[in-house]
Amino acid sequence: MIHAHVTSWFLALILFFVTYMLYKKNAGKKSKILHMILRVLYLAILATGGHMLAGYLTDPGIVNQGPIIIKGTLGVVLIGLMEIILVQKKRGESRLLNWVFFWITLLLVLFYGYSVLG
Ligand code: HEM
C-alpha cells in the first residue's frame, strides 16, 4: 500500500508541474487531458493514504496518532493547493501566496512522511 501511495503522489507531483507549464503555454487540450489524469491520481493518493490512515487509527498498538493525523491532513491540503493553483492558472490568474503555501506544505508532508513517521 505504501508503494502505491508513494508512486501515486510522485507521479501526481510531476504531472502537476507539467500541467502547470502547459496551462502557462496555453496548450488547451493537452493540459486539460493531463489535468484529468492528475485528478484520477488525487483519488489514488486519497484512497491509498486513507486506507493506511484508517488502519493506523484503528490500531490499538499506536499510542500517539497525532503525527499520522497531521500527515494525512497536510496531504489533503496539498492536493487542494495543487488543484487551486492549476484552476487559477487555467483562468490566467497567478497568486504567489498559493505557491508559498504549496512549498511549505510539500516540505511539511515530506518531513512528516519520512522523518517523523519514518
Ligand atoms: C500529495 C499528497 C501527499 C504526499 C506528497 C504524501 C507523502 C507521503 C510520504 C513521503 C509518506 C512516507 C512514505 C514512506 O515512508 O516511504 C507518506 C505516507 C503516508 N501517507 Fe501520505 N502523502 C500525501 C497524501 C496523503 C493523504 C491525502 C493521506 C490521508 C488521507 C495520507 C496518509 C498517509 C499515511 C497514513 C502514510 C503512512 C505513514 C507510515 O506508514 O509511515 N497521505 N505519504
Side-chain angles (χ1 to χ4, degrees):
M1 190 56 73
I2 191 87
H3 294 296
H5 186 64
V6 174
T7 308
S8 35
W9 69 249
F10 189 75
L11 284 178
L13 277 182
I14 295 172
L15 215 56
F16 165 68
F17 289 116
V18 175
T19 310
Y20 182 84
M21 291 301 175
L22 289 176
Y23 273 136
K24 202 171 177 179
K25 286 185 184 159
N26 277 323
K29 205 167 183 183
K30 259 191 212 161
S31 34
K32 233 178 203 170
I33 294 169
L34 290 192
H35 198 166
M36 290 315 272
I37 301 173
L38 178 60
R39 283 174 175 151
V40 176
L41 283 175
Y42 292 159
L43 294 181
I45 300 170
L46 285 168
T48 51
H51 183 79
M52 288 189 293
L53 191 69
Y56 285 122
L57 292 184
T58 49
D59 184 346
I62 298 179
V63 181
N64 185 9
Q65 293 170 329
I68 299 169
I69 295 172
I70 293 175
K71 159 72 196 46
T73 309
L74 287 170
V76 175
V77 170
L78 191 62
I79 292 175
L81 282 168
M82 290 196 276
E83 185 61 18
I84 287 170
I85 290 174
L86 286 185
V87 169
Q88 284 182 349
K89 196 73 204 165
K90 188 179 173 182
R91 292 195 202 126
E93 300 166 17
S94 198
R95 296 207 181 107
L96 181 68
L97 200 59
N98 284 334
W99 278 108
V100 175
F101 286 138
F102 171 83
W103 286 111
I104 293 174
T105 312
L106 178 60
L107 287 179
L108 281 175
V109 168
L110 293 179
F111 175 71
Y112 267 88
Y114 286 123
S115 201
V116 180
L117 298 174

